Amino acid sequence: MANTKHYTELGLTNTRDIFKKAMAGGYAIPAYNFNNMEQLQGIIIGCVESKSPVILQVSGSARKYADPTFLPYMAMGAVQMVKALGAGIPITLHLDHGNTFELAKSCIDSGFSSVMLDGSHHPFEENAALTRQVVDYAHEREVTVEGELGVLAGVEDEVSHEVSHYTKPEEVEAFVEKTSVDSLAISIGTSHGAHKFKVKPGEEVPPLRFDILEEIEKRVPGFPIVLHGASSIEPEYVKMINAYGGKMDDAVGIPAEQLRRAAQSAVCKINIDSDGRLAMTAMIRKVFAENPAEFDPRKYLGSARDELIKMVKYKNEKVLGSANKA
Ligand SMILES: [Zn+2]
């Protein structure tokens, strides 16, 4: 690759120190997905204003959308903006759901400081071998790696599964040992997308399997655990979207109390994608509905960015506990 650069040249950090501090402090680092400028700025400003470390994450298709050459410079722009604001929050650029060695390598070579290799759809041995291959390449360059055991239900950019398969705690030790991964995504009942559970109005969503999480913590004490599919699908945004012409009737997510409990455990990273999408979509719909003649993108994208800042601050302060930890 002609344009090879190391993440330190962009001013980014890997996840080693931030996870160590999160583990000791009983909170989780937010990992927000982005693919455009307003999302990126909303996330960064929200994290600066709440003084939180942040993991900026992109899926393979989000990287393609933003352009693989352009993307690292977006992260670099975020780092420079944070400096200009006089804030010193650590910023990680992370590949979400990498599915091949080549994709992970390409991200590492272009300046990512952390990558996920999701081999969870493969049998254990294949998953471990593929993850190990990425770890070997990544660790030579001080890049950290997230693996995955167990399958989440739901639909995300790179993954789609009908049913979830909970992580088997008895496989975790061997996987961590064989692969030398730095963190592990597990499946305990969270789910990708905006329609996480099929419940009737007023019905409770099924609780996360904290018993599995506790069993995993016992087997690999102090090892950083990651929760995917952990958006709450904030009802106020779903309501707004529906009120302004959208249609998201049975959207439900993970209640904030359960995420708070997870953040205090070995869970060091909580992924939030859908909630950011909902916040922006709700505001864009509102602006268009109330101002049908509006055609300046700054008016609707600017409102969307402002709402995302609010949402990020709320998550960091009230759910993950990462505020004031930068
Ligand atoms: Zn995911």
Side-chain angles (χ1 to χ4, degrees), residues 237-266:
Y237 292 138
V238 177
K239 245 185 251 167
M240 266 175 84
I241 288 171
N242 289 335
Y244 294 113
K247 196 171 185 327
M248 295 203 67
D249 292 333
D250 54 352
V252 275
I254 314 294
E257 307 80 63
Q258 297 205 25
L259 296 174
R260 262 179 225 120
R261 183 174 163 194
Q264 286 160 10
S265 72

Side-chain angles (χ1 to χ4, degrees), residues 6 9 13 22 38 51 69 97 105 125 142 159 163 165 176 186-188 213 215 230 238 260 270 275 288 303 307 326:
H6 191 252
E9 295 169 51
T13 59
E38 281 78 9
K51 299 187 177 64
T69 305
H97 289 288
K105 178 182 182 296
E125 291 298 337
E142 287 294 309
V159 281
V163 286
H165 299 279
V176 167
I186 60 166
S187 172
I188 57 166
L213 176 60
E215 187 58 35
V238 177
R260 262 179 225 120
I270 291 185
D275 279 340
F288 280 146
S303 295
E307 192 60 39

Side-chain angles (χ1 to χ4, degrees), residues 57 96-97 116 118 148 152 156 159 192 227-229 271:
Q57 65 182 15
D96 194 17
H97 289 288
M116 176 189 194
D118 175 3
E148 176 162 340
L152 272 70
E156 205 182 33
V159 281
H192 288 126
L227 280 193
H228 281 242
N271 291 3

Side-chain angles (χ1 to χ4, degrees), residues 23-43:
M23 182 70 75
Y27 60 92
I29 311 288
Y32 296 109
N33 289 69
F34 80 100
N35 51 52
N36 72 25
M37 185 189 81
E38 281 78 9
Q39 279 177 317
L40 176 57
Q41 292 183 345
I43 294 162

Side-chain angles (χ1 to χ4, degrees), residues 84-95:
L85 290 169
I89 63 168
I91 301 174
T92 298
L93 179 62
H94 175 79
L95 168 67

Side-chain angles (χ1 to χ4, degrees), residues 1 5 60 63-73 106 110 112:
M1 194 182 180
K5 50 195 153 316
R63 181 177 180 243
K64 226 179 263 170
Y65 175 87
D67 185 87
T69 305
F70 189 74
L71 189 102
Y73 294 102
S106 167
S110 73
F112 281 60

Side-chain angles (χ1 to χ4, degrees), residues 182-225:
D182 302 279
S183 60
L184 184 70
I186 60 166
S187 172
I188 57 166
T190 59
S191 168
H192 288 126
H195 300 85
K196 299 189 187 298
F197 307 102
K198 286 195 167 55
V199 290
K200 296 188 186 82
E203 236 176 54
E204 298 259 320
V205 303
L208 298 181
R209 290 289 303 272
F210 283 99
D211 57 318
I212 298 177
L213 176 60
E214 279 160 22
E215 187 58 35
I216 291 169
E217 287 185 87
K218 255 184 242 161
R219 287 170 185 263
V220 283
F223 187 79
I225 298 299

